[in-house]
Amino acid sequence: MTGKQKLYPYSYATLRAVPRVERGEFVNIGVIIYCQDLDFLRARADVAPERILALDPKANIELIIQAAESVVAACTEPVGTNRENSGLVTRFGMLTAPRSTVVQPSPVHTGLTADPIATLDQLVRLLVLPPD
């Protein structure tokens, strides 16, 4: 197998800021990625206040940043109950469960990766950051 990298399945969801839940409008602010084969769970957030304020000038940016940072932290350190921390797959499931709050996960999508850190970087560039 020279020249071929082994690919591993992964799952991911975007984090969405939904400043007015009743309107359903959102801005992507982060990505959560989970790769079971590599025991990898990480999230990265990049909150752009001006994009969120375009949807709702009264949005609580500090609250949105705090919620996004909580998701990022929850990927790297145990939080909550023992049940929520019984494994990375359980934690990923808890983080990507549908909810009606100001920060919501998207549906879960899948892919293949040889390097989940590079894939996380790529997903953030494609799905979160404004186009160049």
Side-chain angles (χ1 to χ4, degrees), residues 75-122:
C75 289
T76 58
E77 55 193 54
V79 295
T81 67
N82 189 37
R83 179 182 155 284
E84 292 169 339
N85 294 300
S86 62
L88 294 183
V89 68
T90 302
R91 201 175 317 164
F92 179 72
M94 297 294 286
L95 292 170
T96 58
R99 56 182 64 77
S100 181
T101 61
V102 175
V103 174
Q104 301 176 7
S106 73
V108 174
H109 305 282
T110 60
L112 295 171
T113 184
D115 180 351
I117 294 172
T119 299
L120 176 58
D121 291 341
Q122 179 184 25

Side-chain angles (χ1 to χ4, degrees), residues 58-80:
K58 296 178 183 176
N60 187 334
I61 300 300
E62 288 182 29
L63 177 70
I64 292 168
I65 291 170
Q66 180 181 14
E69 289 174 349
S70 294
V71 171
V72 172
C75 289
T76 58
E77 55 193 54
V79 295

Side-chain angles (χ1 to χ4, degrees), residues 15-83:
L15 287 176
R16 300 170 169 174
V18 187
R20 292 181 58 194
V21 175
E22 70 279 6
R23 292 182 58 105
E25 299 170 329
F26 63 87
V27 173
N28 289 343
I29 61 168
V31 175
I32 307 167
I33 184 172
Y34 170 64
C35 181
Q36 181 174 355
D37 291 346
L38 298 176
D39 202 31
F40 182 88
L41 175 64
R42 293 286 186 279
R44 187 159 304 139
D46 189 297
V47 178
E50 65 281 358
R51 295 175 70 204
I52 297 166
L53 293 171
L55 295 180
D56 181 5
K58 296 178 183 176
N60 187 334
I61 300 300
E62 288 182 29
L63 177 70
I64 292 168
I65 291 170
Q66 180 181 14
E69 289 174 349
S70 294
V71 171
V72 172
C75 289
T76 58
E77 55 193 54
V79 295
T81 67
N82 189 37
R83 179 182 155 284

